[in-house]
Amino acid sequence: MDIKSILERIEKYTLLAAKSVLTVKDLSLLIGISEDRIRHLVCGREIPYYKQGTKVYFKKSEIEDWQLAKRIPTAAELKTVAATRSAITSSR
């Protein structure tokens, strides 16, 4: 990779950081999945989006919420829940 392509990449990421509304191309770069995959998610209504005519847009904050929607509990959290359930069950 040469210096020019590195600088162009840095410029793209800097511009993305300043945007709150993203295009399919922007979103692809930001979250690292293909534009085709994003369009597939849009068609399946699996990702929050907005439409103006034929153009599709995404609100960055909603995409961040969508990315973090399916939190996986830690082993310690699962252990605490299991211990609590066990204590409740045995006290009955």
Side-chain angles (χ1 to χ4, degrees), residues 73-87:
T74 65
E77 291 168 336
L78 291 172
K79 191 175 181 179
T80 300
V81 169
T84 303
R85 288 185 182 161
S86 177

Side-chain angles (χ1 to χ4, degrees), residues 9-59:
R9 198 169 170 175
I10 290 170
E11 182 180 24
K12 286 179 188 176
Y13 282 113
T14 302
L15 291 172
L16 279 178
K19 287 180 147 188
S20 60
V21 176
L22 307 169
T23 63
V24 170
K25 186 175 185 173
D26 295 337
L27 186 58
S28 174
L29 183 61
L30 185 68
I31 66 175
I33 62 176
S34 72
E35 291 179 32
D36 285 341
R37 179 68 183 139
I38 292 169
R39 287 187 190 93
H40 178 79
L41 293 170
V42 167
C43 286
R45 296 182 182 221
E46 298 176 50
I47 190 169
Y49 70 96
Y50 298 84
K51 198 164 186 180
Q52 289 288 331
T54 59
K55 300 282 185 176
V56 175
Y57 298 99
F58 306 88
K59 191 172 179 182

